[in-house]
Amino acid sequence: MNTAAARPKVIVTGRLPEEVERELQARFDAQLNTDDRPFTARELQEALQTADGLLTTVADRLTAEVLDVPSRRATIIANYGVGYNHIDVHAAKALGIAVTNTPDVLTDCTADLAIMLMLMTARRAGEGERLVRAGRWRSWRPTHMIGTRVSGKTLGIIGMGRIGQATARRAQHGFGMKVVFFNRSRLAPERLDGLDALQCDTVEEVLAQADFVSLHCPGGEETRHLMNATRFAAMQRHAFLINTARGDVVDEAALADALGHGLIAGAGLDVYEHEPRVPAALLEMENVVLLPHLGSATRETRTGMGLMAVDNLSAHFAGQTPPNRVV
């Protein structure tokens, strides 16, 4: 990287905050996506063939077939986000492609959004705003749009990592909620950093107790449709499902059926199995809050994520181990 001509070529698949794009252009021969149009599989393969590295987003499906392209030049995929189940990391590792992510920086904003979805679903905020905007609100009435109290209730968390714990702290300290959780591995008390939460042995134990079930587990084959028809039936009828994790963790058809039959009270979703497509049945339900994947969507967080991805790229091209290498 001694001269501009020798700078590594990096192809960026999505539009990023201005500060991040400026830094990319300062450090690399960066090809930006000024149209902000998602790459096709063929375009991703062409990028792998013509660039030294890719800076990708959750919208990019980097399957084994996409990665295994002839005459591949790229040696790193810097993922813009903490989750990376859209990348076949096993195939990447076998092909010698480094994969990095951007953890930690989005923890607080995603936890904030999970709490917001809890409040919106319980207090019918989305439904109420639509009523006002449509000019259908007549007057204040004692029985109008009665929702569910959040304070003092039980929050069940599936996946007690950074974001799960941050959500639990907000719920406990801000709303006096009891917290129960399931995690794939047992967590020693010191791992919870003083959080007063009860670890359950199964997901079903959490569902049986929780008034709100918030998903914070990674996506992928191990957790695909973790919330299915059987588990919706195990939830309390007055309970709400919140998902800010990954869309494929929820069987959306089973969720729509559970909501339609009153097995659960409502849902707040920020992610979907086949983004940007949302099942029509969910779109039609008033007791569902639907957001367009906004978990990390603050200026501070999105900029921080981008700069972290840039640092991962810089370390890799300098012959160092990127600070957030996944494989």
Side-chain angles (χ1 to χ4, degrees), residues 72-326:
R72 177 181 49 79
R73 173 176 165 184
T75 58
I76 181 172
I77 296 170
N79 182 53
Y80 183 86
V82 63
Y84 48 86
N85 61 300
H86 55 290
I87 303 171
D88 190 326
V89 292
H90 299 294
K93 183 177 182 179
L95 292 166
I97 304 172
V99 178
T100 64
N101 69 343
T102 60
D104 299 328
V105 67
L106 49 68
T107 296
D108 285 331
C109 284
T110 305
D112 289 348
L113 194 90
I115 295 295
M116 184 179 80
L117 282 172
M118 288 171 52
L119 291 167
M120 289 184 71
T121 54
R123 298 301 301 274
R124 303 172 66 177
E127 184 181 354
E129 198 213 19
R130 288 189 290 273
L131 187 80
V132 173
R133 287 185 180 274
R136 293 186 288 109
W137 181 39
R138 294 186 302 168
S139 66
W140 184 91
R141 305 189 301 281
T143 58
H144 183 228
M145 292 197 66
I146 293 176
T148 299
R149 180 185 173 112
V150 175
S151 295
K153 296 296 181 66
T154 297
L155 171 62
I157 289 183
I158 310 298
M160 201 60 144
R162 298 180 185 92
I163 299 173
Q165 290 190 33
T167 302
R169 287 193 176 85
R170 284 157 171 74
Q172 197 165 77
H173 299 159
F175 298 93
M177 299 181 80
K178 174 184 176 182
V179 177
V180 297
F181 72 95
F182 171 81
N183 198 66
R184 286 181 296 178
S185 59
R186 296 295 301 184
L187 297 183
E190 55 267 24
R191 290 277 303 278
L192 295 176
D193 194 23
L195 183 66
D196 183 15
L198 174 66
Q199 181 161 6
C200 298
D201 293 327
T202 65
V203 172
E204 285 71 19
E205 286 183 52
V206 173
L207 303 182
Q209 301 177 63
D211 302 302
F212 297 87
V213 176
S214 192
L215 305 178
H216 299 284
C217 47
E221 284 305 311
E222 289 186 16
T223 57
R224 184 176 183 274
H225 289 183
L226 179 144
M227 292 303 299
N228 51 36
T230 301
R231 285 186 166 140
F232 288 127
M235 289 176 64
Q236 301 189 80
R237 283 183 173 265
H238 65 265
F240 296 85
L241 177 76
I242 307 298
N243 189 13
T244 57
R246 280 289 181 262
D248 59 3
V249 175
V250 175
D251 181 338
E252 292 175 338
L255 172 61
D257 188 67
L259 289 163
H261 288 87
L263 296 182
I264 64 174
L269 309 175
D270 187 44
V271 290
Y272 309 91
E273 189 169 5
H274 302 291
E275 294 183 11
R277 299 199 312 272
V278 179
L282 295 177
L283 290 170
E284 295 168 0
M285 293 179 173
E286 288 285 12
N287 59 339
V288 181
V289 175
L290 304 168
L291 298 180
H293 205 146
L294 298 179
S296 62
T298 65
R299 181 183 65 256
E300 298 89 345
T301 295
R302 290 282 171 89
T303 299
M305 291 166 62
L307 294 176
M308 186 176 289
V310 171
D311 287 341
N312 284 327
L313 288 164
S314 292
H316 175 78
F317 292 129
Q320 303 165 1
T321 300
N324 304 111
R325 182 166 180 166
V326 175

Side-chain angles (χ1 to χ4, degrees), residues 45-85:
Q45 289 184 317
E46 290 172 355
L48 288 163
Q49 291 172 316
T50 58
D52 298 295
L54 275 62
L55 198 163
T56 63
T57 75
V58 68
D60 302 305
R61 300 298 181 213
L62 291 150
T63 64
E65 292 74 23
V66 169
L67 293 172
D68 192 13
V69 61
S71 304
R72 177 181 49 79
R73 173 176 165 184
T75 58
I76 181 172
I77 296 170
N79 182 53
Y80 183 86
V82 63
Y84 48 86
N85 61 300

